[in-house]
Amino acid sequence: MRTRLIFALAFIGLFLAVVYWISTWNDHQIEGTIEQINIPQLMITTENSGSEMKLRTVLINEETKVTGDADDVQQLRTGQRVIVELVPDGNLNIAVSIHVQSD
């Protein structure tokens, strides 16, 4: 009986760890619309579930790669749809790359 209880608790703990890991899978990517550009930062609006909108601040630097409809940070415009890849383990939202999508 005790062995079954230990096995059940271990299984529940492992299940919760997997659920947490999956929920943080794409935390290093932001998809949204550029709301404001103040170099060295971008304000990006993202849509959460339903009609809830969230404003995120992303820092950019000279190492940030820009692809898609823009080739450089200077070509970014408000209203553009972007996918921003962030530094995976950073405390700040520093952009590694920005992909500008066509409308």
Side-chain angles (χ1 to χ4, degrees):
M1 183 71 175
R2 185 175 181 168
T3 307
R4 288 183 184 177
L5 180 62
I6 291 172
F7 178 74
L9 290 175
F11 181 77
I12 291 171
L14 183 61
F15 177 75
L16 291 175
V18 168
V19 168
Y20 174 75
W21 179 62
I22 289 173
S23 70
T24 62
W25 191 284
N26 280 335
D27 278 356
H28 65 277
Q29 277 192 346
I30 299 173
E31 185 172 348
T33 305
I34 297 176
E35 198 66 32
Q36 186 176 6
I37 302 171
N38 292 326
I39 295 181
Q41 67 183 10
L42 299 176
M43 302 291 261
I44 298 177
T45 304
T46 59
E47 287 188 28
N48 289 347
S49 60
S51 61
E52 185 178 326
M53 305 279 283
K54 186 175 182 182
L55 191 63
R56 308 252 330 239
T57 302
V58 176
L59 299 174
I60 54 177
N61 58 25
E62 63 276 352
E63 296 174 7
T64 302
K65 298 176 187 171
V66 180
T67 59
D69 287 353
D71 296 327
D72 190 9
V73 173
Q74 301 299 326
Q75 294 178 349
L76 295 175
R77 302 288 175 250
T78 57
Q80 289 177 319
R81 299 273 311 153
V82 293
I83 298 175
V84 180
E85 182 181 349
L86 304 173
V87 174
D89 294 326
N91 291 336
L92 298 173
N93 288 335
I94 300 174
V96 174
S97 67
I98 301 172
H99 179 76
V100 181
Q101 299 175 335
S102 59
D103 292 334

